[in-house]
Amino acid sequence: MTSARVRVETLVEALPYIERFAGHSVVIKAGGRAMEEENLKRSLLQDLVLLQRVGLKPVLVHGGGPEIDRWMERVGMQPKFIRGLRVTDEATMELVEMVLCGKINKDLVATLQSLGGAAVGLSGKDGGLLRARLRRSKGGEDLGRVGEVTSVCTDVLEGLTRQGYIPVVATVSADEKGRALNINADHAAGALAAALGALKLIILTDVAGVLGEVGKPDSLISCLTTRQAQRLLSGGKVERGMIPKLEACLTALKGGAQAAHIIGGLSPHALLMELFTDKGIGTMVVKPG
Ligand SMILES: Nc1ncnc2c1ncn2[C@@H]1O[C@H](COP(=O)(O)OP(=O)(O)OP(=O)(O)O)[C@@H](O)[C@H]1O
Ligand SMILES: [Mg+2]
């Protein structure tokens, strides 16, 4: 096929998906190395602008693990994680908030604007978006200022999307006394997807999806039911950063999402490929049929 023909075919293939998804919220979480490389970041943000232009309501939730690690190392601090959650003492909390809300969030907003989109950046504190309390680790370890979402106030997001803005969420929130809490971005994205009644939660990361064996790309699991996902979690098959991702998928599905996807963000336009082509990529989590 000529390249012009391929392009036209691609548009035609996308049309039924666009019709099905138009008017619906889709929560997209991006993090890890997938956001580190300038070209990948721009391609993701271009995809978001396109989604919004064809009538979807995208909400971007971002992580920032690698950049936080770099800043911690610069000031002589050692990053530490327990089951995928960053142990967050007071000093780490201060730095997390500066990097996530100050630097990464504003950079994403500015890039979206430069790509022709309209974006507003906010943290979980803004408009009471994410209310949270201190999270206890499953093993009883002290995680410091790590929060778990107790409720979501979607008013501000709904107002923004209605007015044509793409909300960009940094997942820092506060306890009832107003003291900052660090909420894992996957967990926050799951809670937001549930509260918004989003059609989908899509998590972009630096591996192709959930791997049956960590480190073996050919062990990619392309589809999981919620029960299988629960079994993977309790059986210890997923580790570190993948734990909150699967938990977030379960939260989104419980809240009514049609599907939750974990996909590799290391190839350009992975998001559009997942949404608008017949060939899904990564891992899709669904409720049993
Ligand atoms: N079963 C598994 N399948 C795939 N990846 C796994 C699995 N178990 C653990 N992982 C790890 O999870 C990592 C992804 O989570 P990580 O927290 O590092 O990134 P992220 O959440 O995308 O980024 P950020 O934390 O910045 O938001 C992978 O790089 C991989 O090392
Ligand atoms: Mg992570």
Side-chain angles (χ1 to χ4, degrees), residues 93-257:
M93 184 68 248
E94 217 175 318
L95 197 134
V96 164
E97 188 161 15
M98 288 194 279
V99 176
L100 280 186
C101 304
K103 190 164 185 293
I104 300 178
N105 189 272
K106 295 308 144 199
D107 169 61
L108 290 170
V109 169
T111 311
L112 273 167
Q113 291 281 148
S114 76
L115 291 168
V120 171
L122 58 172
S123 79
K125 293 176 176 177
D126 294 277
L129 177 60
L130 298 170
R131 292 186 200 283
R133 64 168 172 242
L134 266 189
R135 183 182 191 103
R136 292 269 146 254
S137 98
K138 292 221 165 92
E141 302 94 337
D142 183 12
L143 293 170
R145 302 294 306 159
V146 173
E148 71 182 328
V149 177
T150 50
S151 68
V152 180
C153 174
T154 57
D155 293 357
V156 63
L157 292 187
E158 279 158 5
L160 288 172
T161 50
R162 217 176 13 248
Q163 290 177 65
Y165 291 103
I166 301 172
V168 180
V169 182
T171 61
V172 169
S173 185
D175 61 20
E176 69 286 353
K177 289 194 182 127
R179 295 201 315 149
L181 286 170
N182 178 21
I183 298 173
N184 175 274
D186 301 314
H187 283 150
L192 285 169
L196 283 167
L199 195 66
K200 281 174 183 284
L201 166 67
I202 302 181
I203 300 179
L204 287 108
T205 185
D206 53 14
V207 283
V210 182
L211 303 175
E213 265 179 80
V214 187
K216 286 204 176 160
D218 58 356
S219 68
L220 177 72
I221 304 171
S222 52
C223 190
L224 282 171
T225 63
T226 46
R227 203 165 315 133
Q228 289 168 326
Q230 251 144 3
R231 216 170 301 142
L232 277 182
L233 280 169
S234 52
K237 279 279 179 200
V238 292
E239 300 163 18
R240 295 166 284 141
M242 195 49 70
I243 299 172
K245 289 186 209 329
L246 270 187
E247 288 171 343
C249 291
L250 294 174
T251 306
L253 290 165
K254 206 167 159 206

Side-chain angles (χ1 to χ4, degrees), residues 15-33:
L15 186 60
Y17 293 101
I18 294 175
E19 279 176 343
R20 200 181 317 150
F21 300 155
H24 290 281
S25 298
V26 179
V27 175
I28 293 119
K29 188 268 170 165
R33 281 186 294 130

